[in-house]
Amino acid sequence: MFKKVLIVEDLDSIGFGIVQMLKQEGKIEIVIQSQYCDDAYLKFLKAQKDDLPFDLVISDLSFKEDHRGSKIKSGDELIKILKLKQPNLKTLIYSVEDRFIKIRPLIEHKLIDGYIIKSRYGLKNLTQAIKDVQTGKTYISPELLGFMNRKEVFEIEDYDVNLLIHLSNGLTQEQIAIHFRQNSIIPSSVSSIEKRLNRLKLELKAKNAIHLVANAKDLGLI
Amino acid sequence: MFKKVLIVEDLDSIGFGIVQMLKQEGKIEIVIQSQYCDDAYLKFLKAQKDDLPFDLVISDLSFKEDHRGSKIKSGDELIKILKLKQPNLKTLIYSVEDRFIKIRPLIEHKLIDGYIIKSRYGLKNLTQAIKDVQTGKTYISPELLGFMNRKEVFEIEDYDVNLLIHLSNGLTQEQIAIHFRQNSIIPSSVSSIEKRLNRLKLELKAKNAIHLVANAKDLGLI
DNA sequence: ACCTTCCTTACGGGTAGCCGTAAGCACTAA
DNA sequence: TTAGTGCTTACGGCTACCCGTAAGGAAGGT
């Protein structure tokens, strides 16, 4: 049974909802809440130092920037750091993000013990996830299970994403080639860039460059 | 003082958070919750029929589709219908949407009595909004106030949005022209389409068509 | 009627992108 | 060494797009 849980969630309505729910369930002794990744990190260190470490962290993925700039920008970054400090820590992500392309790396790299999509029944799924993780299992939201077995490995590398970003910023292929050459990114020739874009158009089923960038944005690639 | 409030919010964690908060405040007698626009509409009609109508509706803007298809797709649609049924109804939108281009029409058309952005302090703002609306005022989230006075009227019409959507779907200007001609949308010539796109590129500060579509997507125009 | 203005449309020259072909180069296996 | 493979690069023809110019037409004012 988890004793001490850290909730990291920027939106107060959701954080409040989770905390209230956990309190009503009444199974977890200490529930601490934080609205900033950096603040969560400090609370985590403090707890370790006081010899009262957390045994579960539930975090959102993306956090709005505000006047307090945060050094840690996202939930997966935060968890990566926390796991380094305390490898036996259990971690859950609770996020509206439902694009599998964003979620898959988190699961495959065994960064997290569960991924719950914030949905109509997200809270219910979250309580189930907590139970599963307690018994050593991994929890994946039911919406995602259908994707888990398909491997259709989108062979999209950082290079491709980089290329698409430059394209979406209005650079011509020529300009991208020059930029790549200046920054020693290979391949850098216009010809190779064309070739890459062709492959991407095939993979993302795009008719032309505009369509390609639009699809990449919809998928959350860029 | 509001007696009966309807909360329309698909994500259970948020709906739960709002309801718990209102209960703790203890100023509203009846709080009813719904996770679907269609269901909310039915509950609303039922309340009218029973002569116990709602006097405030707090709704999200966008709702995830799920196995139950909903006829009413968004919070603003819902509110539009409810206001027809009961013109004195007070309405608030509570949403993560913070792009002013999406929010402005709701405010300008006097569709809503307040807009609260779900943020770190969204719940606090929501309670303030409820108070303001009770006294006949309109509430706008502080994040938006800076934009309210600027009018820099983006002269972007449905025609332009339509055009951008076709473009983002990979149609060539030629194909769009043919489509427009077939559907009696004017102007329909390639030349006019080029001219429109030029104007849009100026307004959205885009270097080329790819950049234009990317910017339009970021702004939430398409 | 005539002119002005605004919008739509047409056309033509220059440019970026698309597509196929092929040369250059590194690495591997026979 | 030689042949084969895979990746990068170069080039040329074709298409789509970009941009300026100008003709045609509708609406409104004098």
Side-chain angles (χ1 to χ4, degrees):
Chain A
M1 190 63 61
F2 293 124
K3 278 198 293 201
K4 194 168 173 185
V5 174
L6 179 60
I7 313 289
V8 193
E9 164 66 56
D10 54 347
L11 302 192
D12 58 358
S13 24
I14 297 177
F16 186 72
I18 298 174
V19 171
Q20 289 296 314
M21 185 271 293
L22 292 181
K23 277 189 186 165
Q24 287 187 12
E25 295 246 320
K27 291 183 183 161
I28 292 166
E29 288 176 26
I30 308 174
V31 180
I32 306 286
Q33 194 183 354
S34 175
Q35 298 198 68
Y36 295 87
C37 289
D38 285 7
D39 174 66
Y41 181 54
L42 294 179
K43 287 193 163 116
F44 182 86
L45 289 184
K46 177 80 164 38
Q48 272 199 327
K49 191 162 152 266
D50 294 349
D51 224 19
L52 286 165
F54 290 97
D55 36 27
L56 175 65
V57 171
I58 301 170
S59 175
D60 193 3
L61 253 191
S62 73
F63 292 79
K64 279 199 193 183
E65 283 281 347
D66 75 4
H67 55 101
R68 295 165 57 163
S70 203
K71 233 186 119 195
I72 305 169
K73 303 288 183 194
S74 65
D76 54 317
E77 267 184 63
L78 173 67
I79 286 179
K80 219 168 279 172
I81 299 173
L82 298 188
K83 281 254 188 184
L84 284 179
K85 294 273 171 189
Q86 186 179 319
N88 71 333
L89 178 70
K90 295 290 182 182
T91 57
L92 290 173
I93 294 276
Y94 184 55
S95 168
V96 286
E97 180 60 69
D98 60 359
R99 290 172 296 193
F100 191 57
I101 202 164
K102 295 275 193 184
I103 300 169
R104 194 181 53 189
L106 305 178
I107 297 169
E108 284 184 353
H109 299 148
K110 306 222 189 278
L111 182 66
I112 54 177
D113 299 289
Y115 193 101
I116 305 100
I117 295 176
K118 279 175 192 160
S119 65
R120 285 200 170 75
Y121 309 106
L123 265 186
K124 211 186 68 186
N125 291 343
L126 181 57
T127 59
Q128 182 60 45
I130 293 173
K131 275 184 209 155
D132 283 4
V133 170
Q134 263 166 356
T135 62
K137 280 194 281 184
T138 299
Y139 181 90
I140 305 293
S141 261
E143 298 94 324
L144 294 170
L145 291 178
F147 297 95
M148 289 302 291
N149 295 328
R150 292 197 230 166
K151 48 185 144 199
E152 47 166 282
V153 187
F154 262 154
E155 288 289 3
I156 290 175
E157 309 160 24
D158 289 350
Y159 179 90
D160 299 305
V161 174
N162 198 4
L163 179 52
L164 288 169
I165 289 173
H166 286 305
L167 208 57
S168 76
N169 284 335
L171 298 195
T172 65
Q173 296 178 2
E174 179 77 35
Q175 288 169 329
I176 297 173
I178 292 168
H179 175 262
F180 280 1
R181 203 162 305 135
Q182 284 171 354
N183 293 75
S184 309
I185 298 169
I186 50 169
S188 68
S189 73
V190 175
S191 201
S192 294
I193 288 172
E194 282 180 2
K195 203 155 285 184
R196 283 286 181 138
L197 290 177
N198 266 323
R199 226 198 45 191
L200 287 169
K201 276 183 234 165
L202 273 178
E203 288 188 9
L204 301 194
K205 303 186 209 320
K207 296 182 201 138
N208 55 41
I210 298 175
H211 198 191
L212 175 63
V213 168
N215 287 350
K217 276 202 170 287
D218 288 341
L219 284 173
L221 273 175
I222 56 176
Chain B
M1 190 64 63
F2 293 122
K3 279 198 292 201
K4 193 168 173 184
V5 175
L6 179 60
I7 313 288
V8 193
E9 164 66 56
D10 54 347
L11 301 192
D12 58 358
S13 24
I14 297 177
F16 186 72
I18 298 174
V19 171
Q20 289 297 313
M21 184 272 292
L22 292 180
K23 277 189 186 165
Q24 287 187 12
E25 295 247 319
K27 291 183 181 161
I28 293 166
E29 287 175 27
I30 308 173
V31 180
I32 306 286
Q33 194 183 352
S34 175
Q35 296 196 62
Y36 296 88
C37 289
D38 285 7
D39 175 66
Y41 182 53
L42 294 178
K43 287 193 163 114
F44 182 85
L45 289 183
K46 177 81 164 39
Q48 272 200 327
K49 189 162 154 267
D50 295 349
D51 223 21
L52 286 166
F54 290 97
D55 36 27
L56 176 64
V57 171
I58 301 170
S59 174
D60 194 2
L61 253 192
S62 73
F63 292 79
K64 279 198 194 186
E65 284 281 347
D66 75 6
H67 55 102
R68 297 165 56 163
S70 203
K71 232 185 118 195
I72 305 169
K73 303 287 184 195
S74 64
D76 53 318
E77 267 185 62
L78 173 67
I79 286 179
K80 219 167 280 173
I81 299 172
L82 298 188
K83 279 255 186 184
L84 284 179
K85 294 273 170 190
Q86 185 179 321
N88 72 335
L89 178 70
K90 295 290 182 183
T91 56
L92 291 173
I93 293 276
Y94 184 56
S95 167
V96 286
E97 178 61 67
D98 61 358
R99 290 172 296 192
F100 191 56
I101 202 163
K102 294 277 193 183
I103 300 169
R104 195 181 55 188
L106 305 178
I107 297 168
E108 283 183 354
H109 299 149
K110 307 223 189 274
L111 180 67
I112 54 176
D113 300 290
Y115 192 100
I116 305 99
I117 295 176
K118 279 174 192 160
S119 65
R120 284 197 170 77
Y121 309 106
L123 265 185
K124 210 187 69 186
N125 291 342
L126 180 57
T127 58
Q128 182 61 44
I130 293 173
K131 275 185 209 158
D132 283 3
V133 171
Q134 263 166 356
T135 63
K137 281 193 280 184
T138 299
Y139 182 89
I140 304 294
S141 261
E143 298 94 324
L144 294 170
L145 292 177
F147 296 94
M148 289 301 292
N149 294 328
R150 290 198 232 167
K151 47 185 146 199
E152 47 166 282
V153 188
F154 264 154
E155 288 291 0
I156 291 175
E157 310 159 25
D158 290 351
Y159 178 90
D160 298 305
V161 174
N162 198 4
L163 179 53
L164 288 170
I165 289 172
H166 286 305
L167 208 58
S168 76
N169 285 335
L171 298 195
T172 65
Q173 296 178 3
E174 179 79 35
Q175 288 169 328
I176 296 173
I178 292 168
H179 175 262
F180 279 1
R181 202 163 306 136
Q182 284 170 353
N183 294 74
S184 309
I185 298 169
I186 49 166
S188 68
S189 72
V190 175
S191 200
S192 294
I193 288 171
E194 283 180 1
K195 203 154 285 186
R196 283 286 181 142
L197 289 177
N198 266 323
R199 225 198 46 190
L200 287 170
K201 276 182 233 165
L202 272 179
E203 287 188 8
L204 301 194
K205 302 185 210 323
K207 296 182 200 139
N208 55 41
I210 298 175
H211 198 192
L212 176 64
V213 168
N215 286 351
K217 277 204 170 286
D218 288 340
L219 282 172
L221 274 175
I222 58 177

